Amino acid sequence: METLKLFDAELTVMQYLWENGSVQAAQVAEYMLEQHGWKKSTTYIVLKRLEGKGAVRREEPKYQVVALVSRQQVQQAETSSLLDKMFGGSFTSLFANFLDSDKVSDRTLDELQALIDEKKKEK
């Protein structure tokens, strides 16, 4: 997948689409007004930008909006970008930084160890 950089407002719209599936643009605008205080024109500008990036497609009738990229694809692109930008592409540095956090509980460590063990079995 080509690198897809989404900004905060675009991610906000995409999260709504991922949770609600194909919806009319008017529904997206109504939700963004209620939840974030966005004007209708702001939502439509964000949708247009997402369409230009190939993240969504609009379909007739009534400007139905469909997400073309998954949450996982965007997460992977964002993670890759963060990894390159902040950690020189090193997973080890990212992981070490994460482990230095005071927010890492024993349960989280156990879950991470289980993920690592599972990945090793796959290889």
Side-chain angles (χ1 to χ4, degrees):
M1 180 181 115
E2 184 179 316
T3 302
L4 177 65
K5 174 63 180 158
L6 298 182
F7 296 99
D8 289 347
E10 294 164 339
L11 281 169
T12 299
V13 170
M14 290 303 297
Q15 287 170 354
Y16 179 80
L17 294 174
W18 291 324
E19 291 168 9
N20 295 282
S22 176
V23 295
Q24 291 179 2
Q27 285 177 263
V28 179
E30 184 177 313
Y31 175 82
M32 294 301 155
L33 173 64
E34 291 172 3
Q35 297 298 314
H36 302 285
W38 294 8
K39 294 180 181 179
K40 184 187 285 189
S41 60
T42 301
T43 299
Y44 288 162
I45 288 168
V46 173
L47 286 169
K48 185 84 170 162
R49 287 182 184 156
L50 287 168
E51 187 177 16
K53 291 180 176 188
V56 302
R57 176 181 67 231
R58 65 178 173 166
E59 301 173 342
E60 296 299 330
K62 297 187 179 183
Y63 194 15
Q64 199 72 12
V65 182
V66 180
L68 298 177
V69 295
S70 70
R71 184 186 309 260
Q72 184 179 12
Q73 287 173 305
V74 173
Q75 287 172 336
Q76 287 175 342
E78 289 289 329
T79 300
S80 179
S81 175
L82 174 69
L83 190 65
D84 290 341
K85 185 177 5 177
M86 299 301 296
F87 299 97
S90 169
F91 277 109
T92 304
S93 294
L94 170 70
F95 199 65
N97 184 273
F98 173 76
L99 291 175
D100 282 342
S101 170
D102 292 335
K103 296 179 183 180
V104 180
S105 67
D106 287 342
R107 178 180 171 169
T108 298
L109 291 171
D110 291 341
E111 290 170 354
L112 290 170
Q113 187 63 56
L115 288 171
I116 291 169
D117 292 344
E118 185 64 33
K119 193 64 173 178
K120 281 184 177 180
K121 287 180 188 176
E122 290 175 9
K123 293 186 174 199

